[in-house]
Amino acid sequence: MDLGIKGKVAFVAAASKGLGRAVAEELATAGASLVLCARNAENLNLVAGQIVESSGVSVLPVAADVSNAEDVARAVKAGIEKFGRIDILVTNAGGPPAGGFEDLSREMWEATTRLTFNSVLELTRAVLPGMKERGWGRILNITSITVKQPVENLMLSNSLRAAVTGFARTLANEVATDGITVNNILPGYTRTERMEELARAASAREGISEAEANARWEAEIPMKRLGEPREFAALAAFLVSERASYITGTSIPVDGGWVRSLI
Ligand code: NAD
């Protein structure tokens, strides 16, 4: 299927690894030019070079911390200076720390609010005026299955991703007549470094091995396996494509059937 985004410019946040990287690769395959950000310039430059080599699209890597509003503004500005515009925004960041309410200090709440929620606001703030001017845009937030069904011991993720979802749903209505769609894509348990991090946390908390933690998650998933980042990226690419022009304000899981609700 031709996604109709050849020549569009996509900004993919937190794109040096995992889901962000997989989405960047998929969009490059569809012919989009890319602006990629992550905190570590060295890793990011390496990934950008690999994507250029495999797909031939133009890629601008910008080292930036998405939890810092000035970094976000600088990264988007660099992208606009190079390509003239940002048509597609994929928001993403590292995962919130695991823990229950009594494990989390006020500082952790504040830092994670900046990482998980404010990053979405600042990225959106930076790209939205141009999208409105051109009458075309796609905003896709990578959130989590925790918005459909909270996960035990992920208090920060369960809380702050709900805030992102409320923001996105409201914004979707505000910009619906500007040719801009706003959606959320909800990863289930997917094989990235984030899962290794969560397995280490479960192991330390419960005295089980990381393999046991993984086996427990697999048992909860109807498909009995973790997802692969490219399985997630396939839906992300569709949702930011021209073809998804009538889909807005929605939250779609890619989870092997993990969320048990009917809709
Ligand atoms: P990952 O740890 O594999 O990769 C995270 C990426 O974010 C890396 O490129 C890292 O460099 C970058 N990053 C981290 N903090 C950043 C910051 N402050 N500024 C800029 N870049 C930053 O994680 P992942 O599995 O790809 O997950 C991406 C998001 O999806 C996370 O928020 C995670 O919690 C969420 N999620 C993942 C899963 C899963 O199973 N993998 C499930 C549900 C939700």
Side-chain angles (χ1 to χ4, degrees):
M1 187 196 319
D2 178 6
L3 294 178
I5 53 172
K6 196 169 188 320
K8 296 274 189 208
V9 182
F11 187 110
V12 184
S16 66
K17 290 182 202 159
L19 303 178
R21 176 181 178 156
V23 172
E25 287 171 345
E26 196 71 34
L27 296 185
T29 304
S33 305
L34 299 175
V35 185
L36 305 181
C37 87
R39 286 162 306 174
N40 182 305
E42 205 178 318
N43 286 349
L44 187 65
N45 292 343
L46 211 67
V47 170
Q50 287 165 354
I51 294 178
V52 170
E53 204 170 300
S54 62
S55 65
V57 300
S58 295
V59 182
L60 176 69
V62 190
D65 179 342
V66 294
S67 66
N68 177 313
E70 277 121 52
D71 270 25
V72 168
R74 176 177 53 76
V76 172
K77 188 162 174 263
I80 293 173
E81 271 167 17
K82 175 155 176 77
F83 294 114
R85 64 192 199 279
I86 306 289
D87 303 302
I88 296 167
L89 169 66
V90 180
T91 75
N92 185 31
F101 181 65
E102 291 183 341
D103 305 316
L104 301 167
S105 63
R106 182 173 293 126
E107 290 70 30
M108 286 168 91
W109 276 96
E110 285 169 1
T112 311
T113 301
R114 282 194 296 276
L115 178 73
T116 306
F117 183 59
N118 292 13
S119 62
V120 175
L121 304 186
E122 296 306 327
L123 284 160
T124 303
R125 198 190 303 286
V127 301
L128 197 64
M131 290 179 178
K132 285 180 88 163
E133 235 173 78
R134 290 183 299 277
W136 198 96
R138 298 282 182 269
I139 297 176
L140 182 67
N141 305 305
I142 298 182
T143 62
S144 173
I145 45 169
T146 57
V147 303
K148 294 259 184 195
Q149 189 175 313
V151 171
E152 209 177 305
N153 209 47
L154 288 185
M155 171 60 88
L156 286 166
S157 176
N158 298 341
S159 304
L160 295 169
R161 296 191 195 284
V164 173
T165 308
F167 165 72
R169 177 63 259 196
T170 311
L171 182 68
N173 295 352
E174 290 181 10
V175 299
T177 55
D178 293 304
I180 302 169
T181 68
V182 185
N183 292 292
N184 309 304
I185 178 167
L186 285 43
Y189 295 106
T190 314
R191 198 181 306 284
T192 67
E193 284 184 26
R194 169 68 171 167
M195 285 311 297
E196 294 170 20
E197 186 186 309
L198 291 179
R200 278 195 298 276
S203 162
R205 194 177 61 250
E206 300 174 44
I208 56 172
S209 70
E210 291 172 31
E212 281 169 321
N214 270 304
R216 198 170 57 189
W217 289 320
E218 283 168 356
E220 287 177 14
I221 303 167
M223 287 190 182
K224 301 298 174 209
R225 65 174 178 86
L226 300 189
E228 296 299 330
R230 65 184 162 72
E231 296 179 297
F232 174 85
L235 177 64
F238 179 73
L239 288 173
V240 301
S241 76
E242 179 56 40
R243 303 300 293 271
S245 49
Y246 201 56
I247 302 175
T248 197
T250 195
S251 286
I252 308 181
V254 181
D255 65 352
W258 184 85
V259 172
R260 297 303 199 271
S261 64
L262 292 185
I263 55 170

